[in-house]
Structure formats: structure tokens, C-alpha cells
Amino acid sequence: MKEEVLFTIDTPYRPALQVRAWRFGNPGQKSLAVMGSLRGNEIQQMYISGQLIRALKSAEAAGQLSPDCGILVIPCANQFSMNVGRRFWAADNTDINRMFPGYDQGETTQRIAARIFTALQGYRYGVHLTSFYLPGDHLPHVRMMDTGYQHIEEAADFGLPYIVLRTPRSYDTTTLNYNWQIWDTQAFSLYSTSTDCIDESAAQLAVESILRFLAVKGLLRRQYFPAAAAPRILRENTLHDVLSHAGGLMLCRRHPGDPVEENGLLGEILNPCTGQLLEQLRADCRGRVFFCRRAQLINGHEVAFRILPEAPL
């Protein structure tokens, strides 16, 4: 294991930002790169990165990494926002994951993205531990961009039950996942259950899925068990969004993984001042809760739940 400072960037009004990385295995090989937290509230993603570093350190000490295995892990690239409790770059509220491939003569977040992308280029596989644009919890899954360069079957090697294929929109073209794919890295976005709080069991599942991927690819000499069932592959637009119509306090009655019937109760929205029931949120199909918004305050016409429809027989 080798710890290093990938780069240092001066920031306004605060000490310079140092982005650190940990390398494992053969330094001449670029097998797998793992990017952790790019946003200031991605606590779970940083925690997963730390647990992965511990696991890889043990594997390397035990001689379990293959000779042609070279791994890079960057746990966090946005300590500035994390320290002040902001999701995006605190100085100008920009999102580093909307700045790729970056511009080394641009604004601070463009320069950070450029330096990160330079370090991550050339790897055969890339894993981004990322979060959804809405605050809430997911079923664990692997997501890939449908760029035409992806190999969706390789996502099954993580052993997670769901693989989500996303058709890129214009704003997706500046994400790490999309640019990795365009620059010949097989990129996977790994979604854990939570974002701004630590879920230890979900973090362990994420770490095990990455280690399993390495073992399947022959990069880690470790026994792995075949998946109990083939993962369900779905396009993101097949998920049913359940929108709020009233704004107020939201109480969740179902959580990710819970089965629901058509018209089944998912949550309730209350008047914040009187406690009066304003709306009952109900499923529009039979299936399973895939995403649940965790913010206690919700506005009208926002995504409160996402339902994975029951698979056809």
C-alpha cells in the first residue's frame, strides 16, 4: 500500500485542498480506480472508501493481489464542503461531478475535476461511489450510462441484485461516469443505501461487491460464491416516480426494499403547523420501493418515492 498526495489546489479563504490517494498492487498496472466522495454530504461514500482501503491493505499483505493488478482509491476530493456541511462546493455552490473532464485553467471545481480525471484516466475499470440528486435512500445497485461503449454484462460481476441502465441526458455528459466511458474505461456507479449518514451493513455490502468484482476478474485471489440469482437489469425510465402534490412534513410508511401493492400506502404529508393530513402518497403499481426520499420537508411536485414494478412472468 502506498499513500500519496495526488495534487494540491489553493482555495479562497481556507487552507489549500490536498487530495490524497491510496495505491495497491503493481504500480505499473491500471486495473481498477475507485472514486469516493465528490460532494460534501457523501459521508457513506467516504466511509465505504475507507473500509475498502482496509480490506485491500489486508489482501495485499496476504499476497492475494495478482501480479497484474494495480488499484487506485481516492476516498474524498471535497473536504472543503464536507467541513462546512455543504453538498456542493461551498464558495460558489457548483458540483464537481458536473465538471468533467474538467479544465485546468478554469474555476476551482473545473480544475479539481481536471486533476482528478487525469489521475483516473487509463484504468480498465472505474467505480464511482456516488449519490442521487435527491436526498433519500436507495436499494443497493450498480448504474451504467448507455453511451454505446458500456458492457452491461460486466456489471453482474459485482453480485448486486439490480443493474440500472441510464440513457444520458445533456447534463450527464459532464459526469465522471460518462467521461470515463468515453475515454475507454468501463465505468460503474455504485449506489449504497444512504448518503449523509453511515450505514455499516450497506457499506460492507458495497466493499464485498467490489472485492467480488476483483475476484471474478482474476485480480484478487479470493474465493467468491456464485450469485444466488441473475441480477435484474432495468432501464431507469421503467421506475415509477411517485410525486407529491402538497407541500409539508412527509412521513414515510414504506422504505427501500419493501413490497407494495397497487394503491398501497407509501407515505403521508402533513400540514407543518396543524398536523392536518394533506395527502396520502400511494403506489401506482405493484412492485418494490426502490427509492425513498428521506428529507422530512417536501414541496409540491417533487419525487417522494420511486417504485420498481413487479417483473413480468
Side-chain angles (χ1 to χ4, degrees):
M1 181 183 76
K2 179 186 176 183
E3 178 185 352
E4 66 180 76
V5 177
L6 275 183
F7 60 88
T8 301
I9 287 184
D10 291 332
T11 59
Y13 314 119
R14 295 185 69 85
L17 173 70
Q18 282 191 342
V19 174
R20 295 180 175 271
W22 279 256
R23 296 185 187 272
F24 301 88
N26 188 337
Q29 297 293 324
K30 289 189 172 184
S31 307
L32 174 71
V34 179
M35 182 67 239
S37 169
L38 285 175
R39 292 157 175 157
N41 69 331
E42 291 178 342
I43 307 298
Q44 173 79 343
Q45 288 68 29
M46 185 171 63
Y47 178 75
I48 293 170
S49 300
Q51 296 305 302
L52 178 62
I53 287 171
R54 291 185 61 188
L56 290 173
K57 180 181 178 181
S58 297
E60 187 176 49
Q64 295 177 337
L65 297 182
S66 67
D68 58 348
C69 175
I71 301 173
L72 174 72
V73 182
I74 306 175
C76 180
N78 197 354
Q79 305 94 306
F80 181 25
S81 299
M82 195 168 283
N83 288 341
V84 296
R86 297 282 297 274
R87 176 170 169 81
F88 298 134
W89 189 251
D92 59 6
N93 206 38
T94 54
D95 184 357
I96 296 174
N97 199 35
R98 292 291 185 271
M99 294 293 168
F100 287 97
Y103 175 47
D104 59 7
Q105 300 298 315
E107 299 295 332
T108 305
T109 45
Q110 291 176 308
R111 290 187 284 119
I112 292 171
R115 299 292 294 273
I116 290 172
F117 198 63
T118 298
L120 296 179
Q121 270 187 275
Y123 281 85
R124 183 178 178 187
Y125 302 107
V127 174
H128 185 195
L129 303 169
T130 188
S131 61
F132 198 48
Y133 74 97
L134 292 174
D137 298 333
H138 270 100
L139 278 177
H141 66 280
V142 182
R143 188 173 301 196
M144 297 186 77
M145 291 283 187
D146 185 4
T147 60
Y149 297 97
Q150 79 283 353
H151 299 293
I152 191 89
E153 67 280 359
E154 292 197 292
D157 293 335
F158 288 94
L160 294 177
Y162 302 103
I163 299 171
V164 177
L165 191 62
R166 176 176 173 81
T167 300
R169 300 185 180 182
S170 57
Y171 52 79
D172 290 315
T173 61
T174 56
T175 62
L176 174 58
N177 187 303
Y178 183 91
N179 282 275
W180 248 344
Q181 292 279 13
I182 298 302
W183 290 82
D184 298 326
T185 292
Q186 281 300 303
F188 311 91
S189 291
L190 197 62
Y191 282 77
S192 184
T193 14
S194 60
T195 298
D196 55 4
C197 60
I198 293 173
D199 183 329
E200 292 185 86
S201 60
Q204 185 60 34
L205 176 63
V207 171
E208 287 297 324
S209 70
I210 296 172
L211 296 178
R212 185 184 192 278
F213 181 85
L214 289 169
V216 173
K217 298 303 181 186
L219 300 170
L220 175 66
R221 300 188 187 99
R222 174 178 170 174
Q223 185 179 12
Y224 64 90
F225 295 100
R232 181 174 173 185
I233 301 173
L234 61 136
R235 288 194 169 270
E236 189 177 34
N237 59 11
T238 63
L239 296 171
H240 290 213
D241 290 343
V242 178
L243 303 179
S244 61
H245 294 94
L249 295 173
M250 189 177 88
L251 302 178
C252 294
R253 303 306 184 193
R254 293 291 183 271
H255 301 280
D258 288 347
V260 291
E261 298 292 330
E262 185 174 357
N263 203 40
L265 181 65
L266 298 171
E268 297 172 327
I269 299 177
L270 308 180
N271 184 303
C273 297
T274 67
Q276 176 189 357
L277 178 65
L278 299 177
E279 182 183 1
Q280 289 186 325
L281 300 167
R282 295 186 175 274
D284 64 349
C285 65
R286 182 178 182 179
R288 194 170 296 275
V289 177
F290 196 82
F291 168 79
C292 170
R293 187 183 178 94
R294 192 154 45 82
Q296 298 289 275
L297 284 171
I298 191 169
N299 296 319
H301 306 289
E302 289 192 333
V303 176
F305 294 87
R306 306 185 89 184
I307 306 299
L308 175 63
E310 189 176 61
L313 297 175

